[in-house]
């Protein structure tokens, strides 16, 4: 049977539990038509590049599917009918990648980097102002007579006289 990677985006208003139920429903349809899901990953709520049906964020879910084309057609039909699904994409692949997907590796890498870095505001030297103080280091200007600079139209009439 052909191998597919299927990603769908669900509305931001849907709860994570509703997204899991939708994934379970799609899995039941695929298994009912003779296929199987080898891996299912919930990537979480992520920001979209542009608004889709008034949504700025969406729940992302990846499924690695081993199923006949009829099963893929059926889950795509169900997703078109479901109001919670904003977009879906199915790609036929030669083989499924082992281990976590690139998105999960990225999230893990970001978490590790944040753990190594610690709290951002631990670095006291980054926010030091040096000898500038609180920007009030200009000194006392004293009582200087305030000169009035002529405006452009006044300057022209003064030179013409």
């Amino acid at each position: 049977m052909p191998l597919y990677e299927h990603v769908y985006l669900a509305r931001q208003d849907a709860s994570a539990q509703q997204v899991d139920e939708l994934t379970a429903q799609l899995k039941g349809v695929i298994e009912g038509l003779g296929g199987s899901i080898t891996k299912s990953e919930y990537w979480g709520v992520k920001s979209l590049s542009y608004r889709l049906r008034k949504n700025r964020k969406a729940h992302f879910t990846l499924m690695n599917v081993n199923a006949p084309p009829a099963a893929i057609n059926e889950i795509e039909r169900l997703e078109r009918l479901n109001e919670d699904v904003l977009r879906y994409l199915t790609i036929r692949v030669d083989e499924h990648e082992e281990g976590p997907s690139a998105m999960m590796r990225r999230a893990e890498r970001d978490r590790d980097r944040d753990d190594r870095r610690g709290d951002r505001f631990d670095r006291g030297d980054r926010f030091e102002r040096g000898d500038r103080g609180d920007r009030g280091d200009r000194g006392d200007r004293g009582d200087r007579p305030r000169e009035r600079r002529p405006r452009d139209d006044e300057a022209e009439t003064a030179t013409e006289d």
Side-chain angles (χ1 to χ4, degrees):
M1 271 188 276
L3 303 174
Y4 299 95
E5 287 185 359
H6 180 80
V7 178
Y8 71 89
L9 281 61
R11 289 182 317 128
Q12 65 188 6
D13 299 341
S15 67
Q17 181 181 2
Q18 288 174 315
V19 174
D20 288 340
E21 290 171 3
L22 179 60
T23 303
Q25 177 189 0
L26 296 175
K27 183 177 181 178
V29 170
I30 289 171
E31 289 174 350
L33 293 172
S36 64
I37 293 183
T38 57
K39 177 172 68 172
S40 176
E41 289 182 355
Y42 173 69
W43 291 344
V45 178
K46 301 209 173 284
S47 296
L48 300 172
S49 297
Y50 53 90
R51 287 177 41 177
L52 292 175
R53 294 191 218 157
K54 299 183 181 180
N55 289 285
R56 294 190 182 278
K57 294 184 177 190
H59 295 270
F60 284 65
T61 304
L62 166 77
M63 296 185 296
N64 283 350
V65 181
N66 182 4
I72 299 298
N73 289 339
E74 180 62 18
I75 65 167
E76 288 181 350
R77 185 186 73 79
L78 291 173
E79 288 174 335
R80 277 193 299 272
L81 295 174
N82 193 329
E83 292 178 356
D84 288 339
V85 177
L86 299 174
R87 288 275 197 280
Y88 60 87
L89 176 68
T90 307
I91 299 175
R92 185 172 177 179
V93 294
D94 294 330
E95 62 183 62
H96 290 137
E97 77 179 47
E98 296 297 322
S101 66
M103 290 294 285
M104 295 303 279
R105 287 192 308 260
R106 181 176 140 211
E108 185 177 308
R109 184 188 70 222
D110 291 346
R111 236 185 339 269
D112 291 345
R113 185 184 64 216
D114 290 344
D115 291 344
R116 282 192 314 268
R117 185 179 292 170
D119 193 15
R120 281 187 172 239
F121 299 107
D122 284 347
R123 302 178 192 160
D125 60 332
R126 175 178 262 188
F127 298 105
E128 288 286 323
R129 293 288 183 198
D131 60 344
R132 294 190 312 181
D134 63 349
R135 294 191 182 258
D137 59 343
R138 293 184 178 158
D140 187 21
R141 293 187 175 192
D143 294 332
R144 296 186 312 175
R146 185 162 162 90
E147 293 181 23
R148 186 176 158 274
R149 291 177 37 195
R151 293 191 319 216
D152 290 338
D153 57 337
E154 291 177 354
E156 289 176 9
T157 57
T159 56
E160 291 176 2
D161 289 339

